[in-house]
């Protein structure tokens, strides 16, 4: 049974940093593409960043230069390093895993709050 768990969110002041984790309980994790999404209160869920099975990355323009997505296949974990955080980054962050066979899995989300 596939299980995706996000963690390491929290409350930080503007300009601070967090590193989110996405741990996947599944086989052949290294063959999957993983993306981070976020959903702010009252808004639609939006895509934030992606990393492919070969390590290619991309992200939404508003976080370029501030957020970095990476993966550790030995730990079945993907990370989102978030620096220079802004209040507009406040949201629930979700991990999405796409398998090579077309599977689509979501975690429960982790809260990130950026406030003075």
């Amino acid at each position: 049974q596939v299980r995706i768990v996000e963690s390491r969110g929290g409350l930080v002041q503007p300009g601070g940093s967090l590193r989110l984790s996405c741990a996947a309980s599944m086989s052949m994790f290294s063959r999957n593409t993983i993306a981070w999404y976020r959903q702010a209160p009252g808004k639609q869920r939006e895509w934030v960043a992606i990393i492919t099975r070969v390590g290619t990355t991309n992200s939404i323009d508003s976080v370029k230069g501030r957020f970095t997505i990476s993966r550790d296949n030995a730990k079945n974990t993907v990370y989102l390093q978030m620096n220079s955080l802004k209040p507009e980054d406040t949201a629930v962050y979700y991990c999405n895993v796409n398998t090579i066979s077309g599977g689509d899995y979501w975690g429960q989300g982790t809260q990130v709050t950026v406030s003075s």
Side-chain angles (χ1 to χ4, degrees):
Q1 186 69 38
V2 174
R3 186 181 181 191
I4 310 297
V5 180
E6 303 97 332
S7 62
R8 307 291 287 182
L11 172 65
V12 297
Q13 67 181 35
S17 297
L18 286 171
R19 190 177 73 158
L20 307 184
S21 294
C22 171
S25 178
M26 64 192 303
S27 63
M28 305 302 292
F29 179 79
S30 64
R31 299 168 67 182
N32 300 325
T33 293
I34 299 92
W36 285 97
Y37 288 74
R38 67 187 181 187
Q39 187 168 23
K43 297 185 177 180
Q44 297 288 339
R45 189 175 298 184
E46 67 174 348
W47 170 76
V48 177
I50 192 168
I51 185 166
T52 72
R53 64 183 181 275
V54 298
T56 301
T57 63
N58 200 7
S59 64
I60 192 170
D61 285 346
S62 63
V63 307
K64 288 185 184 299
R66 300 190 298 121
F67 292 9
T68 302
I69 188 171
S70 62
R71 66 192 299 164
D72 186 340
N73 291 329
K75 297 180 179 179
N76 277 20
T77 301
V78 168
Y79 304 99
L80 185 66
Q81 179 66 48
M82 309 166 67
N83 299 326
S84 301
L85 283 161
K86 306 174 181 179
E88 65 193 38
D89 296 317
T90 295
V92 177
Y93 284 71
Y94 297 91
C95 183
N96 173 244
V97 177
N98 286 283
T99 70
I100 59 172
S101 61
D104 186 61
Y105 303 95
W106 292 87
Q108 84 294 334
T110 186
Q111 177 71 48
V112 172
T113 302
V114 185
S115 176
S116 298

